[in-house]
Amino acid sequence: MSGFDKVVGSYEEAMAGLEDGMTIIAGGFGLCGIPENLINEIKHKGTRELTIVSNNCGVDGFGLGVLLEDRQIKKMVSSYVGENKLFEEQLLAGDLEVELTPQGTLAEKMRAGGAGIPAFYTATGYGTEVGKGKDVKEFNGRKYILEESITGDFAIVKAWKADRYGNLVFRHTAQNFNPMAATAGKITVVEVEEIVEPGELEPTQIHTPGIYVNRLIKGTFEKRIEQRTVREA
Amino acid sequence: MSLSREQLAMRVARELQDGYYVNLGIGIPTLVANYVPEGMEVMLQSENGLLGMGPFPTDDQVDADMINAGKQTVTAITGASIFSSAESFAMIRGGHVDLTVLGAFEVDVQGNIASYMIPGKLIKGMGGAMDLVAGADNIIVTMTHASKHGESKLLPQCTLPLTGAGCIKKVVTDLAYVEIADGKFWLKERAPGISVDEIVQKTAGELVVPEVVPEMEF
């Protein structure tokens, strides 16, 4: 690496420095736009006691679900989980902690975390289990709860294309949580389908500027589909 | 006869207006898209980051990078836009979505809604439902009026963990269209052939019944 060139040579190098007990923020919605190879590298590395902030936790055998196999996850911060048997087992056995967070609040926690805003008020969750124990303030006659933002030791992100400087473009709804995750990691690692030279991406079309990206690697992706639904041609 | 799932969706679809941006939840709400009145344009918002959701793809159109909030493969209509989750929830939480339709297990006279925890089952999470009910002004809840065992789902007070407090004003059930105001349910319409007595009997929360309760027509 030199200058603004963020490209690293291997997945091992991409996840170097990840240690037991760290917090990882992961992009993706369901299995769409997940950093599948970076997740596999974490499995390979065997890092444990991880807190993972991600909307979902993959499925059995794919995505973040693979990190459950060797009990590498201590805690999940998610809006919707339990599409996998292993997850349910570990949760019921008390081996896994889950902090259920409304989806919009989760996105905003990452966005705010990356933008240097430590907390924000939101109406979401007021009067529910989510709001319990949180500071309440009234603005213009409506009650809001104080939610703290999130940053991670690492952020793992999947994008479509990048230039070597780490400017990112996402494809379709594989964007989802990835742009916010990219801003919220102390070390942000991005894997992409294609790396081009600086200048090849149209500057006005870049979703995530390279300033947020520390390491970049090109991967090959399975892109498993969770719910294949079709209509007659 | 109580309304079928399709009739429930048809009744909800009458609340649509031309130019509406609409978020439809999973289940019966999804069916509303099939009954958009002729000549009317609405745009469907899917909270994973798609405004202008189209039908399911044909086999050769399937794209793993193109899904809806139910994680199903979908298409986008002409004029659609795709964006991040933060942008998507800015639309929702900022009150920019004109109509939200979602299912529920219970609602009560205070406009509270419980919809994310299935009794006796593992809690999987609220997904975007708490944001949707907190952010939208115009929400329609669709559900059956009573459980299979005949227990009312329109209650004096919700018994399950809430998805949102004081946010529901309109409920379409298989028996009736009911509004919520001033700590009461207000009966507005009944399903074809359903008596007011049956609705009263299956509504546990205080229900205000007007002299005449019009019958829904299909």
Side-chain angles (χ1 to χ4, degrees):
Chain A
M1 274 198 291
S2 65
F4 296 108
D5 192 341
K6 310 290 173 74
V7 180
V8 296
S10 68
Y11 274 92
E12 196 182 350
E13 200 180 330
M15 292 311 295
L18 181 70
E19 292 171 14
D20 289 356
M22 281 187 165
T23 296
I24 300 172
I25 301 184
F29 184 97
L31 300 181
C32 182
I34 59 169
E36 55 183 75
N37 301 297
L38 293 170
I39 293 167
N40 288 339
E41 174 59 24
I42 297 167
K43 178 175 172 64
H44 176 70
K45 212 173 157 70
T47 319
R48 302 178 67 86
E49 296 286 302
L50 296 169
T51 294
I52 297 193
V53 183
S54 167
N55 191 54
N56 316 94
C57 192
V59 295
D60 286 319
F62 195 71
L64 289 168
V66 304
L67 301 184
L68 296 167
E69 292 164 5
D70 302 317
R71 297 174 187 268
Q72 290 174 267
I73 305 174
K74 182 183 71 176
K75 180 180 175 183
M76 285 298 303
V77 180
S78 306
S79 87
Y80 194 84
V81 291
E83 301 290 9
N84 25 17
K85 279 208 184 91
L86 215 44
F87 190 96
E88 195 171 327
E89 275 172 31
Q90 292 180 21
L91 184 65
L92 292 172
D95 295 337
L96 180 64
E97 193 187 333
V98 180
E99 187 177 323
L100 288 176
T101 305
Q103 200 174 125
T105 295
L106 187 62
E108 193 63 15
K109 277 173 176 256
M110 293 183 193
R111 196 199 69 78
I117 297 165
F120 55 90
Y121 282 100
T122 178
T124 300
Y126 170 74
T128 75
E129 297 281 332
V130 168
K132 276 192 180 152
K134 288 174 183 161
D135 186 38
V136 174
K137 194 164 177 180
E138 192 170 313
F139 298 91
N140 302 317
R142 189 157 187 218
K143 293 204 169 71
Y144 297 80
I145 58 172
L146 187 66
E147 290 279 8
E148 290 186 16
S149 61
I150 298 178
T151 55
D153 298 297
F154 274 76
I156 55 174
V157 167
K158 157 72 179 31
W160 178 33
K161 287 183 186 177
D163 65 22
R164 300 181 73 86
Y165 288 0
N167 292 307
L168 308 180
V169 178
F170 301 94
R171 185 169 177 275
H172 298 336
T173 61
Q175 181 172 166
N176 56 61
F177 283 85
N178 280 298
M180 285 75 66
T183 66
K186 284 194 194 88
I187 298 173
T188 291
V189 187
V190 183
E191 60 172 338
V192 296
E193 295 173 42
E194 188 182 349
I195 297 176
V196 300
E197 292 305 315
E200 289 185 44
L201 298 176
E202 173 60 42
T204 57
Q205 301 296 313
I206 287 163
H207 292 121
T208 293
I211 191 169
Y212 298 110
V213 176
N214 300 97
R215 302 171 187 171
L216 180 67
I217 188 163
K218 180 177 178 296
T220 52
F221 299 85
E222 177 186 334
K223 292 200 194 179
R224 194 177 293 187
I225 293 173
E226 206 165 342
Q227 307 269 357
R228 188 189 174 91
T229 45
V230 293
R231 68 185 153 98
E232 297 292 315
Chain B
M1 278 271 286
S2 56
L3 300 186
S4 65
R5 288 163 58 87
E6 287 71 25
Q7 285 174 317
L8 255 165
M10 285 163 79
R11 176 60 192 85
V12 171
R14 289 179 194 162
E15 303 297 312
L16 297 171
Q17 289 183 28
D18 196 25
Y20 258 20
Y21 296 103
V22 181
N23 184 293
L24 301 176
I26 291 164
I28 292 169
T30 305
L31 300 177
V32 174
N34 300 335
Y35 300 103
V36 177
E38 193 94 5
M40 189 182 281
E41 283 191 296
V42 301
M43 213 178 260
L44 301 178
Q45 204 257 15
S46 188
E47 63 265 26
N48 59 316
L50 168 61
L51 186 61
M53 179 168 59
F56 293 139
T58 55
D59 216 36
D60 59 344
Q61 289 175 325
V62 168
D63 185 333
D65 290 338
M66 197 65 204
I67 65 166
N68 65 18
K71 296 159 191 166
Q72 297 168 309
T73 47
V74 286
T75 57
I77 61 166
T78 302
S81 54
I82 296 176
F83 34 82
S84 73
S85 300
E87 185 79 50
S88 181
F89 282 93
M91 290 172 198
I92 291 165
R93 294 149 73 109
H96 304 279
V97 175
D98 297 301
L99 174 66
T100 290
V101 185
L102 79 168
F105 301 127
E106 297 174 346
V107 293
D108 71 24
V109 295
Q110 300 301 333
N112 297 325
I113 173 172
S115 68
Y116 79 98
M117 203 208 97
I118 303 166
K121 286 195 182 171
L122 188 76
I123 304 171
K124 290 188 171 185
M126 67 294 284
M130 283 193 181
D131 304 284
L132 283 159
V133 296
D137 192 41
N138 192 10
I139 303 167
I140 300 175
V141 169
T142 62
M143 60 181 196
T144 54
H145 209 95
S147 73
K148 281 175 206 155
H149 311 293
E151 287 158 357
S152 179
K153 295 181 177 181
L154 283 75
L155 305 173
Q157 195 172 9
C158 287
T159 61
L160 298 169
L162 297 185
T163 309
C167 47
I168 305 303
K169 294 173 195 153
K170 298 174 183 174
V171 185
V172 178
T173 75
D174 56 340
L175 303 183
Y177 171 52
V178 171
E179 290 185 359
I180 304 172
D182 305 323
K184 296 182 182 84
F185 293 120
W186 300 73
L187 182 58
K188 294 291 173 183
E189 296 170 26
R190 60 197 167 92
I194 297 294
S195 69
V196 169
D197 279 353
E198 182 178 351
I199 296 163
V200 169
Q201 188 231 322
K202 288 183 174 166
T203 306
E206 185 179 349
L207 179 69
V208 180
V209 182
E211 290 261 329
V212 180
V213 184
E215 206 173 70
M216 293 176 200
E217 286 174 26
F218 292 96

